[in-house]
Amino acid sequence: QDDMMEQPLVGFWEQCPTPENLPETVNVGAIFGLSEAVAVYGTAQQNAVQLAVDEINASHYLGESTTLVVMFEDSAGNRDQAIAAMTKLVEEDGVVAVLGPTLSSEAFAADPVAQENSTVVMGVSNTANGITEMGDYVFRDSLPEGAVIPGTIAQAAEILGLAKVGLFYGNDDDFTVSGYEVFKAALEENSIEILGEETFAKGDVDFNAQLTNLIAAEPDALVVSALAAEATQIILQARALGYEGPIIGGNGFNSPAVLRDSGADSEGLIVGGAWNYGNPNPSESSVQFVEMYEAAYEMSPDQFAAQAYTGAWLMATAIRCADSTDRTDVRDALAGIADFDSPLGVFSFDEDRNPVHDPIAQIVVEGKFQPLALVMGE
Amino acid sequence: MLELRSVSRLFGGLQALNQVNMLVPAGKVVGLIGPNGAGKTTLINNISGLDHPTSGEILFNGTPIHMRPPHHIAQLGIARTYQNIRLFGEMTALENLLISQHGRGSASILDALVFTPRYLREERRLRDTASDLLERFHLTQVAKLRAGNLPYGDQRRLEMARALGTQPKLLLLDEPTAGMNPVETEALGEQILRLVREDGLTVLVIEHDMSLIHQVCDEIYVLNFGQIIAQGTPDEIKRNPQVIEAYLGQDEE
Amino acid sequence: MEFLRSIGITEIVMQFMLINAILGLSMYLVLYTGMFSLANAGFMSIGAYTGVILTQNFDQPLWVGLLGGMAVAGVLAVPIGLPVLRLKDIYLAIATIGFGEVVRILILNFDTLAGSLTGESVRLTRGALGITGIPKITETWHLAAFLVVTGFIMIRLHRSRFGRAMAAVRQDEPAAANMGINVVYTKNMVFIMSAVLAAAAGVLKAHLTRTISPGDYGFDQAVSILAFAVLGGTSTWVGPLVGGFVLTALPEVLRDFKQYRGIVNGSILLLVIVYLPGGLVNPAGWSQLWTRLRGKKQGDTLTAEVS
Amino acid sequence: MALLEVSNLHTSYGAIKALRGITFQVERGQVVSLIGANGAGKSTTLNSISGLLKPSSGKVLFNGRDITGWRADRVTGLGLVQVPEGRLVIANMSVEENLWMGAYPRKDRAGIQADLNDIFARFPRLAERRTQKAGSLSGGEQQMLAVGRALMVQPTLLMLDEPSMGLAPLLVNEIFHIIAEIKDRGIPILLVEQNARKALQIADYGYVIERGTIAYEGPAEQLQQNPKIISAYLG
Amino acid sequence: MNITQQVVNAIWLGGVYSLFALGYALVFSILGVLNLAHSAVFMWGAFIGLVMVTQFSFSVWLAIPVAMLGAGLIGVLLDAVAFAPLRRRNAPRIAQLISSIGAAILLVNIAQLIFGTQPERFPLGSIPTDTIEGLPFRITPIQIIILLVSVALMALLQYMVIRTRAGQAMRAVAFNQRVASLLGVNVSGIFRMTFFLAGALAGAAGVLYGLAYNSMTPFMGDQVALKGLTVIVLGGMGNIQGAVVGGFVVAALEVFSIANGGSNYRDAFVFTLLFLILLFRPQGLVGQKEHTRA
Ligand SMILES: Nc1ncnc2c1ncn2[C@@H]1O[C@H](COP(=O)(O)OP(=O)(O)OP(=O)(O)O)[C@@H](O)[C@H]1O
Ligand SMILES: Nc1ncnc2c1ncn2[C@@H]1O[C@H](COP(=O)(O)OP(=O)(O)OP(=O)(O)O)[C@@H](O)[C@H]1O
Ligand SMILES: [Mg+2]
Ligand SMILES: [Mg+2]
């Protein structure tokens, strides 16, 4: 059939020609948390990767007769299982490269296995410091909090004239603690006083006591480092306690579910992130991704999905450019990707294999995300 | 051998033992009788260290033992049986007897790990003693069976054998013939007398079966509401009106 | 070997199996003495952190880390065991879970706490992020050797005076005490031995997974360790060993079930324990199952005896 | 037709055959005594009738109805009530609650209250301790409570397993008085006792169990005269 | 620091904890076994309620009894699959603990297959969420409702266990199944009833919890499992009032350790208190000493 599927917007067509030397199937591994509590993120990642793979194969991105196959493995958010899955994929199944694992803590345990086998592993949601320092085969396309938060805080400080804030974070999770550390540094950078710090634990659902403390100090804003599930509760409970000021959050708040579930209470929420569903002026590829994702799964994608989707495309592109399933060739090709048009924006890797693209800082106005910079203009 | 000086035990508001004075001379069999709930088991619990008196003193060969932990008391030479059989039911009869000699051994885990001569010698000694006891109590046949599955009578005998395994000087028996028919009871009485005669043991026995009491006891104490209400030879006690009133009742036979 | 790999049991999985067998044995010791203690995950974390700090911050070899971790856990087991082992059953279980949680929170906040006490910035346990970049220096033969030695100790234990005292204490504490057994000593010694074993597993595992964080040693881990022992069966020491093997291998072997993996895994766990309540290694259980399967009737008790 | 007819009952514990063909009956209005050595199978017999154990073969007819293998609560519901061996009172319930519990199958509150008062009158010791937790009673007090509790059912046939075990002589007499009184009320009793002499004195008919089978049977007076039984059980 | 508000926070949180712990305590008191699948039944209760509202357009108030019924039936099923066979085999209690873990894994994974992993919520507007005006502190109607419901359920349950025939039978079974059956109690029936009641309580807790926090995933039970355990031990194992007292004590301790700047050590405080209580009062705050004698 001639009228092939529409050429995807995401891709790297100009730089690399259609590969010729690839085998019939190219196997790539993916380790996501598909069961236990982490599945909230892992299943979105799996969905997004599958979406990308279907597109890649339909468009013969890797050549007429080459099919990309992703072998998904569940790590259940568990380190041992992540290591076992990585070993299986890399040593037994002989995959070309691996996407994942979902959690940074899993990555610290499992990525060295890939590194030792000279196999590319690309984190699509690892934000902790030191991930790519594990070796030259370790990549990620997820912006660490350090790349997102300082900008958000600086902008917010300017617009809102922040002088004093309350800081709230989960103290037993590597993601939320990283976020907290970056927030704290950024606040100090901008000479904003921290009136009080409160913590919660993973799985908490009630934040009234901490919020009561924070609100009593009458902050200009609440700065919160939390994952999505807690983020919603924190917004709702802070509002129920009568807090009406802005709430500034990191990546965790950057989810359609947060906006949907907190409804009117999300007004004034300021979010920094790598990608946002509600971005009012997204790139074309981002729009297309959202459309396709919604069509396929009847729900809106979040940042996890966008990063996983981009990750799959990046990997396919590296294979395409390498025109080889040699793991080292793929690594080199991946490292060479720059100015790649993706839903995340124009994407490159820096020399440390960390992502480079513009983060977004947005504020919820009338139930919609607006660029913070735009509101600043008013 | 054993002396109780105004021993009292309070459970909340309940005076289970009230100023009990008692003397158990060496080489004798002393009986302890009294209505249900009089405090007899409580008394034995206090002597054996499972429970401690609220006030008063218990002396064993002159040493105060009332605040000692039970394993000390066992090592000093006091052993007991229980009103409801308390064997180590999941272990074999033989193992029950090996355990009973715990306080007599000294080999440590390290000895066992590297098979020191001390360990080997001691194990041999424990096993020899155990088979002696099995033989004496007619339990050799069932040595390898789980104690919990033994017929009741065997369990009673095994419990007695186990008490002897600790090599006691004083044996405390709490209703040893409960659930036995008269013929079995009499046989047990014989056994108790043999222990005193042949092994030089001293015995304090709680019983409701007056025929056994008469058969074995040199002296009897009667406890009622935690107080000693009478003391004397079996014949004296049998005629004591207070005891008849509180405990024996009019014999109808 | 080839076969094992083909069903998903790679070397690393085998290493985890060996480690979990050690954990199963540490649980076995306390259960065998009648103590329902769930402190093992806590001691595992104490061992892991001590061992890693020794090898990473003080550049010691693995065996020093191992002995250090075991020693610290063993020493800490004394002040914990003395008050807590007076408790029984579920109360002991909860108190020891509480101990595990307190250890977790202390490790989580150790740096801040030490920092505020000394006035300097401390970076030792590194909070929730945990310690990363630990070299993988534990090897299969380390684990196998450790397990063989442990197994030998178990065998000897059961033939010793102390081992018999353990069994006696499990079955009837007062009666054991009246036999001259020092119940408090026995229970605390076993608690220490169990803590030491768990700590060893913690050290060895930390140098296998390259990273540790406080969250690894919480309630879930405590319950898993219990499951190793109980599913394997606690009537002999081989049971917990097998339990550790099986429960570790199972999720890996079941990978092909994809999204149904959890359901299959849960069903297998349920079926095994329902049909073999005494655990996998329990001849009596298998022979009963066999008679049941052949449909032979026997004078079954209709209602259970519980007392 | 007898009230209770047991024929050729077999029961085992795993590989151990405890009953090897027990046959006996209890007539209306009679006290029947089962005696035998320790471990002969007396308790096993009672448990196999009451439904605590499931016999592997044989038949139990109660009031002409085949109740073999019935669940214990259904058997009790028919008025065939067993007082188990040992002190199985409900430890964390008060004395009074235990007695109420005994009346579980009944619905007539007034009648229950009357019977309760009757039992307190008969056992003043229990009345004194009506609010005390049953678990802290002495052995003998618990035994009293267990018998009292069984009476609360208003049984058609009462099975007592060693009711005098562990009781002081005074109370043993009292228990046998009660048994006599229950008999006078027309309630038949199946009595298992080690105190064989007293048991046969009160019984109309007796059976002797040896190693899981009935070795002797006969009217109670006759058994009391039997020299073999005297030397083996009566002493 | 706003003391009034913190007191209100503590009371409210106590209500939530108690509600979850009630069914947990009930099963423990009868079975003597920790039912680690209780939190999975709780989760199913929440989802049943949700499905009633979203798929069948039930009102939230009608969804609660339906969820109770559904979760109660799941409880009965749980008994039949994971507990009854072990009871029949005279299995050690610890085996029942493990089988309940297996059952929990199953229930959670089935829920994941059916409901997915993304957080679900009751539709906006299906419950009143505006804070009540004119009070010196802030509280929402749903918070008050949950408090009232948990207190009412506790009172009802307490009455049932102490006063009714069924309750007495439950206590008899808890003590000794043989004796209970000789007293004419249908032991299996009592177990089924207990599991039904505990399931129904978990179901009510699940829906109310879902309404209160409005975020439900198949893993929501994990969040309360350990807390529930803490609560029932603190209050006194297998004791209805204990569950409630424990719930409020844990909540108060949490809230006030946070209020005094100790949010980092909140759980350490809770577990240390638990530890101390166990050492000095192993029967828990409300529990009574076991009256069993040597
Ligand atoms: N731990 C305890 N707590 C409360 N009361 C107790 C305790 N132990 C015993 N008692 C009470 O103390 C009294 C004496 O009990 P004890 O067991 O010593 O009696 P006994 O003379 O052995 O009776 P029996 O002949 O029936 O065995 C009883 O009334 C009993 O209820
Ligand atoms: N739970 C059990 N498991 C195994 N064997 C048992 C069990 N209960 C009883 N037995 C055995 O069955 C036989 C009959 O026991 P049973 O209890 O019926 O005797 P009994 O006549 O009531 O004796 P006693 O006077 O001791 O009460 C005995 O040999 C006993 O060892
Ligand atoms: Mg007594
Ligand atoms: Mg009997």
Side-chain angles (χ1 to χ4, degrees), chain B residues 110-141:
Chain B
L110 288 179
D111 287 319
L113 269 186
V114 296
F115 300 92
T116 58
R118 179 156 76 135
Y119 163 78
L120 295 170
R121 225 180 309 123
E122 187 175 297
E123 283 294 297
R124 211 171 318 117
R125 201 187 71 222
L126 297 188
R127 274 168 207 279
D128 289 348
T129 313
S131 18
D132 280 355
L133 284 168
L134 285 170
E135 205 151 313
R136 262 176 75 187
F137 285 86
H138 312 293
L139 291 165
T140 314
Q141 308 294 328

Side-chain angles (χ1 to χ4, degrees), chain D:
Chain D
M1 183 189 56
L3 179 58
L4 179 71
E5 288 180 67
V6 174
S7 46
N8 202 18
L9 207 59
H10 288 257
T11 303
S12 4
Y13 298 95
I16 305 167
K17 290 191 169 61
L19 300 188
R20 314 148 187 253
I22 294 270
T23 303
F24 72 93
Q25 35 201 293
V26 180
E27 302 288 344
R28 277 163 235 275
Q30 274 196 345
V31 171
V32 171
S33 188
L34 281 183
I35 59 176
N38 278 306
K42 305 181 295 294
S43 301
T44 307
T45 304
L46 292 200
N47 291 343
S48 303
I49 296 169
S50 69
L52 285 184
L53 290 171
K54 200 171 186 163
S56 41
S57 68
K59 222 183 195 98
V60 181
L61 296 183
F62 181 63
N63 246 335
R65 193 166 188 176
D66 187 351
I67 59 163
T68 322
W70 276 31
R71 260 187 0 236
D73 57 295
R74 296 183 60 208
V75 174
T76 301
L78 292 179
L80 175 47
V81 181
Q82 182 189 10
V83 178
E85 186 179 33
R87 307 180 167 79
L88 295 173
V89 294
I90 299 171
N92 50 3
M93 283 191 192
S94 69
V95 168
E96 186 165 352
E97 283 176 310
N98 263 280
L99 292 171
W100 273 101
M101 200 56 227
Y104 183 78
R106 293 170 63 182
K107 303 245 155 55
D108 55 325
R109 281 194 84 87
I112 296 173
Q113 191 63 53
D115 284 359
L116 192 70
N117 295 338
D118 185 44
I119 284 172
F120 280 141
R122 189 185 313 284
F123 301 100
R125 189 66 176 241
L126 292 183
E128 276 166 38
R129 294 170 186 265
R130 68 198 293 159
T131 57
Q132 188 175 329
K133 298 282 181 211
S136 69
L137 296 177
S138 84
E141 292 162 349
Q142 294 188 6
Q143 189 64 265
M144 256 184 266
L145 180 56
V147 173
R149 190 176 60 185
L151 291 178
M152 293 297 293
V153 193
Q154 293 190 324
T156 341
L157 169 61
L158 194 60
M159 302 195 285
L160 300 174
D161 197 349
E162 306 206 18
S164 77
M165 179 149 107
L167 292 194
L170 196 64
L171 279 170
V172 173
N173 292 341
E174 176 68 29
I175 288 283
F176 278 95
H177 276 306
I178 294 167
I179 293 171
E181 217 175 290
I182 297 169
K183 179 187 177 181
D184 290 346
R185 277 200 235 163
I187 301 173
I189 296 171
L190 176 56
L191 175 65
V192 165
E193 257 295 338
Q194 283 293 0
N195 200 331
R197 191 174 296 141
K198 278 208 151 84
L200 289 177
Q201 276 169 10
I202 208 167
D204 300 296
Y205 203 84
Y207 295 86
V208 179
I209 302 190
E210 280 178 9
R211 270 175 254 102
T213 51
I214 302 288
Y216 307 94
E217 66 174 282
E221 304 90 52
Q222 209 171 313
L223 289 178
Q224 277 173 291
Q225 311 304 324
N226 185 325
K228 274 193 189 145
I229 293 176
I230 293 175
S231 70
Y233 301 103
L234 304 179

Side-chain angles (χ1 to χ4, degrees), chain E residues 182-213:
Chain E
L182 284 182
L183 292 173
V185 177
N186 176 351
V187 174
S188 313
I190 291 294
F191 275 116
R192 272 193 296 276
M193 188 185 83
T194 308
F195 271 95
F196 181 83
L197 280 176
L201 287 168
V207 178
L208 291 172
Y209 191 91
L211 287 171
Y213 296 116

